[in-house]
Amino acid sequence: MNLVYRVLHPLFYKETQMNTIKVTALALIIAGALALAYGGFSYTQETHDVKLGPLEFSVKEKKQVNIPIWAGIGAIVAGGVLLVMGSKKG
């Protein structure tokens, strides 16, 4: 059993490593494309909770996060480089 593991382990390890690189590359490409398409995202943050007897007050702030164009392009380029370099090693 130990001999089989020693022979097959490097083959499966290399395949797993390549799949991880490809998944990371595709995630970067998709994230970059979404960043270019949407330009950012917004979220709501609940702050300033105040309790006065039976009354409760809270303030909800809507915040906007802008993603620069260069970050989206950089993510796409980095994902493409990973994808090409990962496929050349295989």
Side-chain angles (χ1 to χ4, degrees):
M1 184 71 168
N2 196 12
L3 179 64
V4 173
Y5 177 77
R6 285 185 188 176
V7 171
L8 294 179
H9 180 262
L11 298 175
F12 290 124
Y13 178 73
K14 185 176 182 181
E15 183 178 316
T16 303
Q17 187 178 16
M18 292 302 294
N19 286 337
T20 304
I21 291 172
K22 287 180 182 178
V23 167
T24 304
L26 290 175
L28 279 171
I29 292 170
I30 291 169
L34 288 174
L36 290 177
Y38 290 105
F41 60 93
S42 62
Y43 65 96
T44 304
Q45 182 179 15
E46 192 169 323
T47 58
H48 308 295
D49 289 334
V50 177
K51 293 182 182 179
L52 294 172
L55 300 174
E56 293 183 22
F57 298 99
S58 65
V59 176
K60 293 182 181 181
E61 284 183 70
K62 188 172 184 180
K63 297 195 175 192
Q64 178 73 26
V65 177
N66 295 321
I67 300 173
I69 293 175
W70 60 265
I73 293 171
I76 292 172
V77 169
V81 168
L82 269 178
L83 201 58
V84 169
M85 297 303 272
S87 64
K88 281 187 178 180
K89 287 184 179 181

